[in-house]
């Protein structure tokens, strides 16, 4: 089965990438894998404070993917796979793609204005030719209707 890997964060463009991936998955008989990455936390000398910060970051990440999964199910009927991992995003994305040969594309949303995000800069820049799957960059300026038409 063809799987579209979407990285979700707090940005509006993440929702646009998710909508595009869901529409493509429905049209191709595929699925969607939602990934959110918890950045590594800085070390804090007090263990209790460190544990609280890490737990808050994990709860926030789990809330993001739960909301994204609910939206996906509501709009497309697809039940996505969900992954929450801690670490460096590019490394985790590469590991996930290497571990799952069904992943057919990495779908990223670009901000409507301004500089591209970290992942777009990484995978469409210096590391553009290193992935074994295409990178789909979905412009953040697209309307829902445009996404539906293009997907």
């Amino acid at each position: 089965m063809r799987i579209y890997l979407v990285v979700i964060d707090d940005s509006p463009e993440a929702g646009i990438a998710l909508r595009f991936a869901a529409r493509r998955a429905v049209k191709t008989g595929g699925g969607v894998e939602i990934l959110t990455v918890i950045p590594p936390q800085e070390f804090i000398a007090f263990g209790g404070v460190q544990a609280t910060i890490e737990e808050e970051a994990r709860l926030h990440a789990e809330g993001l993917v739960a909301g994204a999964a609910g939206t996906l199910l509501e709009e497309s009927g697809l039940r996505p796979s969900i992954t929450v991992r801690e670490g460096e995003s590019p490394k985790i994305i590469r590991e996930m793609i290497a571990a799952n040969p069904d992943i057919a594309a990495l779908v990223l949303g670009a901000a409507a204005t301004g500089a591209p995000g970290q992942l777009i800069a990484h995978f469409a820049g210096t590391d553009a030719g290193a992935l074994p799957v295409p990178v789909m960059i979905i412009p953040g300026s697209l309307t829902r209707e445009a996404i539906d038409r293009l997907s």
Side-chain angles (χ1 to χ4, degrees):
M1 173 174 33
R2 177 177 295 171
I3 295 175
Y4 296 90
L5 176 61
V6 182
V7 182
I8 295 295
D9 58 18
D10 287 322
S11 68
E13 54 268 20
I16 290 169
L18 182 61
R19 182 170 184 86
F20 182 89
R23 303 280 300 177
R24 288 298 310 145
V26 166
K27 288 181 179 178
T28 62
V32 174
E33 172 90 24
I34 297 174
L35 168 67
T36 191
V37 179
I38 303 168
Q41 303 296 315
E42 292 185 31
F43 177 74
I44 298 175
F46 302 103
V49 173
Q50 179 80 30
T52 300
I53 291 171
E54 289 173 356
E55 180 64 18
E56 287 175 357
R58 176 160 291 283
L59 288 173
H60 178 71
E62 289 172 355
L64 279 174
V65 294
T71 300
L72 183 65
L73 182 61
E74 180 181 305
E75 291 184 0
S76 67
L78 290 175
R79 291 191 183 277
S81 298
I82 297 172
T83 303
V84 177
R85 302 252 317 256
E86 183 176 342
E88 298 296 329
S89 296
K91 181 179 181 218
I92 290 170
I93 291 167
R94 275 192 228 95
E95 288 171 354
M96 287 188 67
I97 291 170
N100 187 346
D102 289 335
I103 293 177
L106 172 61
V107 183
L108 301 172
T113 61
Q118 171 201 10
L119 293 177
I120 292 174
H122 181 84
F123 288 113
T126 57
D127 212 18
L131 284 179
V133 298
V135 177
M136 296 178 168
I137 301 173
I138 313 307
S141 61
L142 292 178
T143 64
R144 291 172 64 93
E145 293 77 24
I147 293 169
D148 294 350
R149 181 176 45 80
L150 294 170
S151 60

